[in-house]
Amino acid sequence: QVHVVESGGGLVQAGGSLRLSCAASGSIISINAMGWYRQAPGKQRDLVAAITSGGSTNYADSVKGRFTISRDNAKNTVNLQMNSLKPDDTDVYYCNARVIASIGYRELWGQGTLVTVSS
């Protein structure tokens, strides 16, 4: 059994900061990309930021310069530091990990963590 667990969402005022964390666990051999997506009710799930095992990053245009993704390969964790938050950043954020496990390739999703930015 492999899975990811997120933490760190909450309520913050516009201009504030939050840090999301995600840990993958189970019979994991290696992890390719890890990332964060977000989704509003009735809308598609969109990429926020992703990072490869080599450290290459990719950000949505709307968060460039404000969000920073990082990962610890030894601990199978990924973090998302969110600064200068805006009300438009309000969404449910999901951790994603593409892993090679003892049971084969799996794409894992977390349960989602709510980020609410008040104006």
Side-chain angles (χ1 to χ4, degrees), residues 8-11 18 20 90-93 112-116:
L11 172 64
L18 279 176
L20 304 182
T90 295
D91 266 325
V92 178
Y93 285 69
T113 185
L114 178 61
V115 171
T116 304

Side-chain angles (χ1 to χ4, degrees), residues 33-85:
M34 300 185 80
W36 292 91
Y37 290 70
R38 63 187 182 187
Q39 185 174 25
K43 295 188 177 181
Q44 69 179 19
R45 191 171 295 184
D46 293 325
L47 175 70
V48 176
I51 185 168
T52 68
S53 57
S56 296
T57 58
N58 183 33
Y59 294 93
D61 287 342
S62 60
V63 306
K64 285 180 180 177
R66 300 188 297 122
F67 292 10
T68 302
I69 191 169
S70 60
R71 67 185 277 179
D72 185 328
N73 290 330
K75 296 181 179 179
N76 291 338
T77 58
V78 63
N79 299 307
L80 185 68
Q81 179 66 41
M82 304 185 294
N83 299 329
S84 302
L85 282 161

Side-chain angles (χ1 to χ4, degrees), residues 16-29:
S17 298
L18 279 176
R19 184 178 177 86
L20 304 182
S21 296
C22 173
S25 61
S27 301
I28 294 172
I29 297 172

